[in-house]
Amino acid sequence: MGERFHGVQALRFAAATAVVVTHAVDLAGTRLGLETALTHGSLAGGTLENFGAVGVDVFFVISGFIIATTTQGQRGVGAAGAFLWRRFRRVAPIYWLLSLPILIGMARGGTLSPEVAAVTFLFWPFSGLEMTFPALGPGWTLCFEMLFYAGFGLAMAGGRRVGWGLIGAYAAMLAAGLVVAAPVLRFWGAPIILEFLLGVGIAWMWRSAPRRLGLWAVGLAMLGFGLGLVFGYGGIDDVRALNDPWNGLRRAAVWGLPSALLVFSVVRMERTDRAPGRLSRAAAFMGDASYSIYLVHVLVIRALGRLFDSGMVALPGDAVVGLTVIASLAAGAVVHVWIERPMLKILPRAA
């Protein structure tokens, strides 16, 4: 992609930060029993504390947009193989490396099951009808990322007809999964995959859309997010949206559609022909680091949780949240610069 979408990078950073905030509030409120400003939100009986989970939906839409944009004009088996290697190289090694401390701890404690190993290393989350989470919790999203990459790679290799055939097959599995309970349908027919397809749709049409539609889109996105806060989420903000396809459909509608509108508005209103300022470059860097932030913040929260549990440090709830977020962002930036980037340089590139 010749263009550099600094607005999208900033949105990736915001999405990662939103997820970190939600987990930091959970650390303070659930584990430590401390009150925070978000623990008991004033809208819809406490939905504010879980709103940051929408960052995952924003990530999925962005992923669909970026993949479709960066691969425009690439077709054939060779191009598909190169694409799949690039995505595997970018996603899996750093994820497995950061999973190692938890995997070792689980193995020593006798809690490492075959199901956890399968979802961690093979990206297969449904050994039964309920999702098994990997050793590094946020890795559940990578299962759907990898599934999307596999489907997109097949479409690249087989052409437009194969691509539409895969979309048709997905639609059939999505419909079947609403009435038939089967592990393969819970995964391959998961409603949350619709969010990747929304991103692909944005990549196809954003250039031809009038610029003023960006303003309408951001207004509608804010309205959609606001309505969710006012009327509640009905279980879409937790694992029920992954285990129950009807709840998953609600998530795709209540969070996926506003996320797509937000991504479209950012892309359509950005002026990619102008040199970015310092703030844009800083946001772009943190957007580049967002994957490391997303992965490593779990390890930061584990470490801080033990520190707070020990009684060595006593802080009010909001201070715990603030410290956790700052430490997670800093750790993610360090991992990005000193581990992720060097690892990508070492790993062979696609031909």
Side-chain angles (χ1 to χ4, degrees), residues 52-330:
V54 75
V56 168
D57 305 79
V58 175
F59 269 131
F60 283 177
V61 175
I62 290 176
S63 181
F65 169 77
I66 293 295
I67 293 304
T69 301
T70 56
T71 58
Q72 284 183 356
Q74 299 178 22
R75 296 290 182 271
V77 175
F83 160 74
L84 291 172
W85 170 249
R86 287 195 303 270
R87 298 319 304 160
F88 176 84
R89 173 179 174 271
R90 176 70 176 84
V91 170
I94 184 67
Y95 164 61
W96 287 335
L97 178 65
L98 294 176
S99 298
L100 276 179
I102 302 177
L103 286 167
I104 293 171
M106 294 178 73
R108 287 179 174 176
T111 59
L112 181 58
S113 66
E115 291 79 13
V116 171
V119 67
T120 300
F121 291 107
L122 304 179
F123 302 101
W124 185 270
F126 282 96
S127 300
L129 294 179
E130 294 190 356
M131 171 175 279
T132 299
F133 282 83
L136 192 67
W140 71 266
T141 62
L142 303 184
C143 299
F144 294 101
E145 287 274 357
M146 288 297 193
L147 179 62
F148 170 64
Y149 297 156
F152 200 91
L154 285 174
M156 288 178 63
R160 187 180 298 271
R161 183 175 297 179
V162 171
W164 283 111
L166 288 171
I167 291 176
Y170 166 67
M173 288 186 288
L174 172 62
L178 295 174
V179 294
V180 178
V184 69
L185 295 178
R186 291 283 166 89
F187 186 29
W188 289 356
I192 204 166
I193 297 171
L194 290 169
E195 297 175 354
F196 293 104
L197 299 181
L198 288 171
V200 173
I202 293 170
W204 285 350
M205 53 77 65
W206 74 272
R207 294 182 190 276
S208 60
R211 188 175 295 274
R212 64 178 179 274
L213 284 183
L215 290 173
W216 283 99
V218 72
L220 290 173
M222 295 303 102
L223 176 62
F225 290 137
L227 289 174
L229 286 171
V230 170
F231 294 105
Y233 303 132
I236 70 168
D237 52 337
D238 59 31
V239 73
R240 283 174 288 177
L242 303 173
N243 294 331
D244 176 9
W246 288 102
N247 249 331
L249 275 179
R250 282 191 285 272
R251 178 166 185 161
V254 175
W255 276 352
L257 288 177
S259 296
L261 288 168
L262 182 60
V263 172
F264 169 78
S265 68
V266 168
V267 171
R268 193 64 195 92
M269 292 191 295
E270 182 170 1
R271 298 296 299 269
T272 57
D273 56 340
R274 294 179 179 177
R278 289 184 178 180
L279 185 59
S280 294
R281 290 195 298 269
F285 167 76
M286 293 306 291
D288 288 338
S290 62
Y291 183 49
S292 290
I293 292 170
Y294 181 68
L295 294 178
V296 81
H297 84 276
V298 176
L299 301 178
V300 172
I301 287 176
R302 280 174 168 254
L304 289 178
R306 290 174 181 172
L307 178 65
F308 294 134
D309 279 338
S310 70
M312 295 176 59
V313 177
L315 296 173
D318 290 318
V320 168
V321 172
L323 176 61
T324 302
V325 172
I326 292 171
S328 296
L329 298 183

